[in-house]
């Protein structure tokens, strides 16, 4: 993870940055070096945001899969991403609401509404039965939210470009203020996730066993859902819609570590962080000096791995 | 009375299966719930373990309604072994048994020496010590049943609720289980178990509760409860009652 971050600090820049500059910017900052200024003011916050986004989305995926016992559960599949996008689009296009709420808060509310709707429609509060319904409900709500978002973009063309960049998920605009707004929420969410992990373990034994072992199931699901919203809302508010991390990284971590949430959650967080940082670095490389959205790169990395998982039937 | 029901009705989908039951479960005994399929014995057991919410009335633990007691606290008093269990993916036997200690473990589910000792002991008692490192999903039905039993025992509760624990087990393991229940009972545990085999119940249990159509028909000592008339009215069975030549308990032989 550190290696990827360091690479990301100096590679593929319009102005040449040496690997040494990247390190010196951190330890012996030279006021006169433009390269070091770029590292400090642009690259460093960007990498940090990328790491955190990856960590948050991976943790959110772990929680969602743990709560629903559904291997497909993730922010993008169960409508949270699309709902958050709609919320974000609403506050940034419709004039009376413009600036009423920060994009992060709007994303959280939108995502929260979509997630509750999916859980209600797919009877997700009762675990173990009719797993397909939950995913169907997620896909349906996602499609609905996406359609509404598109309609908004068409109606309010002036504001549309920001929404479109956001939908593709890009770290281009990640600056120190993005990081400053993001990290407290992310840390709270990640800590909460690790505190929840023993209960997630017990939920995997089914509702009856979990309750029998003293888990207050309703309570865990409520707290878990809230954490998901914090983590996803904060990430989406910071960099836009990034899919695949929440779906895939938990499976990668399980493959590596096994099924104990207490142990694979930290690994998932590290993997997610590395993956998004890597994707962001690559996003600058593919059609240098232009940037490809990191979200697109993640889909490129994610899809083959997902096919591999499906073939292995380890879901 | 530690565990009792007051005017309890409980069921699924708005349909009551157990109807208006007032029951005091005698402490320190091995109690068997008997009755034909669909009579509500498993439903009653689940309600006793607060896995089902009563439609009317309540289940009480030391005079207090179950839902008023914090979940973790109750999990140190009552443990239930359900009839059918999921097959958890990728979990080792010893880890599953260790989950039984969850009501006691502190921060992050960490186990201490006492927990480890209990886990070790229950695995020995249920004869699964040598399976410790295997995956639960790779075991046979009977072995898996013993692993779940071990997890339930690891909860170390004064009350043990078992729903047909002998299903899926070989005869020798069934007998071992009944002997284990006896030993646990002698250590002071109250055991409430749904059983299919009337003779097994008569031989190993102190108190029988016979149910039919959601009602309690009869309860008491096996020798008082098991009669020709009862077998006919509850199970529609023509049978004679003899004395078990070894245990001297009543034994029914179908005509």
């Amino acid at each position: 993870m550190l290696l990827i971050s360091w690479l990301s600090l100096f590679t593929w820049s319009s102005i040449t940055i040496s690997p040494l500059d990247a390190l010196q910017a951190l330890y012996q900052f030279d006021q006169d070096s433009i390269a070091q200024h770029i590292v400090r003011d642009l690259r460093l916050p960007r990498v940090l945001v990328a790491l955190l986004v990856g960590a948050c989305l991976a943790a959110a995926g772990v929680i969602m899969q743990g709560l629903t016992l559904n291997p497909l559960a993730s922010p993008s599949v169960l409508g949270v991403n699309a709902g958050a996008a709609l919320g974000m689009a609403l506050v940034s296009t419709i004039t009376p609401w413009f600036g009423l709420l920060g994009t992060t808060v709007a994303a959280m509310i939108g995502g929260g509404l979509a997630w509750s709707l999916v859980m209600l429609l797919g009877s997700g509060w009762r675990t173990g039965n009719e797993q397909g319904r939950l995913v169907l409900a997620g896909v349906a709500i996602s499609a609905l939210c996406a359609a509404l978002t598109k309609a908004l973009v068409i109606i309010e063309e002036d504001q549309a470009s920001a929404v479109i960049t956001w939908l593709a998920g890009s770290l281009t605009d990640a600056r120190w203020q993005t990081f400053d707004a993001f990290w407290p929420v992310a840390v709270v969410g990640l800590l909460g996730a690790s505190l929840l992990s023993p209960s997630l373990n017990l939920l995997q034994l089914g509702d009856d066993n979990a309750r029998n072992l003293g888990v207050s199931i309703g309570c865990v699901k409520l707290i878990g859902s809230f954490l998901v919203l914090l983590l996803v809302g904060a990430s989406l508010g910071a960099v836009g819609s990034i899919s695949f991390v929440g779906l895939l990284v938990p499976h990668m971590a399980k493959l590596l570590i096994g099924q104990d949430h207490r142990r694979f959650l930290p690994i998932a967080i590290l993997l997610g962080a590395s993956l998004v940082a890597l994707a962001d670095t690559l996003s600058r490389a593919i059609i240098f000096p232009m940037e490809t959205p990191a979200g697109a790169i993640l889909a490129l990395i994610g899809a083959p791995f997902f096919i591999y998982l499906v073939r292995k039937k380890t879901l | 009375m530690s565990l009792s029901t007051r005017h309890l009705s409980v069921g699924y989908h708005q349909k009551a299966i157990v109807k208006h039951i007032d029951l005091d479960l005698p402490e320190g005994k091995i109690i068997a719930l008997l009755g034909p399929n669909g009579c509500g014995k498993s439903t009653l057991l689940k309600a006793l373990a607060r896995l089902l919410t009563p439609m009317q009335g309540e289940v009480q633990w030391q005079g207090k309604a179950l839902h008023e007691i914090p979940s973790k606290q109750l999990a140190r008093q009552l443990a239930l072994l359900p009839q059918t269990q999921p097959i958890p993916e990728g979990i080792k036997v010893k880890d599953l048994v260790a989950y039984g200690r969850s009501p006691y473990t502190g921060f992050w589910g960490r186990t201490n020496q006492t927990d480890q000792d209990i886990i070790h002991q229950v695995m020995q008692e249920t004869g699964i010590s040598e399976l410790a490192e295997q995956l639960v999903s790779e075991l046979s039905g009977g072995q898996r049943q013993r692993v779940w039993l071990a997890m339930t025992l690891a909860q170390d509760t004064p009350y043990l609720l078992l729903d047909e624990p002998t299903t899926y087990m070989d005869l020798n393991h069934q007998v071992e289980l009944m002997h284990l229940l006896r030993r646990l009972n002698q250590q002071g545990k109250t055991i409430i178990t749904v059983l299919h085999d009337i003779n097994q119940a008569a031989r190993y249990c102190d108190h029988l509760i016979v149910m039919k159509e959601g009602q309690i028909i009869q309860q008491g000592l096996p020798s008082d409860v098991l009669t020709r008339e009862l077998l006919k009215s509850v199970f529609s069975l023509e049978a004679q009652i003899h004395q078990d030549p070894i245990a001297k308990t009543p034994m029914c032989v179908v005509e």
Side-chain angles (χ1 to χ4, degrees), chain A residues 74-87:
Chain A
S74 69
S76 45
V77 175
L78 293 190
V80 181
N81 272 10
L86 181 59

Side-chain angles (χ1 to χ4, degrees), chain A residues 5 7 12 21 24 45 48 72 89 114 135 146 166 176 185 189 201-202 207 214 231 251 277 282 297 307:
Chain A
S5 313
L7 277 175
W12 291 296
D21 279 334
Q24 273 181 350
L48 289 175
L72 283 176
V135 176
W166 192 88
W176 279 115
V185 189
N201 271 343
L202 298 182
D207 278 6
L231 291 164
H251 291 296
L282 290 177
I297 307 286
I307 293 168

Side-chain angles (χ1 to χ4, degrees), chain A residues 62 250 253-254 257-269:
Chain A
V62 169
K254 272 190 210 174
I257 300 291
Q259 301 279 334
D260 188 337
H261 284 73
R262 284 168 299 181
R263 281 161 47 205
F264 84 73
L265 176 74
I267 301 300
I269 287 174

Side-chain angles (χ1 to χ4, degrees), chain B residues 16 36 43 85 90 92 99 160 163 191 195 208 213 236 249:
Chain B
T43 311
Q85 290 281 38
K92 280 184 188 168
Y99 285 158
L160 200 56
D163 196 351
I191 294 160
L195 283 177
L208 305 187
E213 290 165 7
S236 317
T249 50

Side-chain angles (χ1 to χ4, degrees), chain B residues 39-56:
Chain B
C39 70
K41 51 193 193 298
S42 291
T43 311
L44 176 61
L45 197 75
K46 275 192 177 173
L48 291 175
R50 51 98 169 73
L51 298 189
L52 290 174
T53 312
M55 297 155 84
Q56 265 179 39

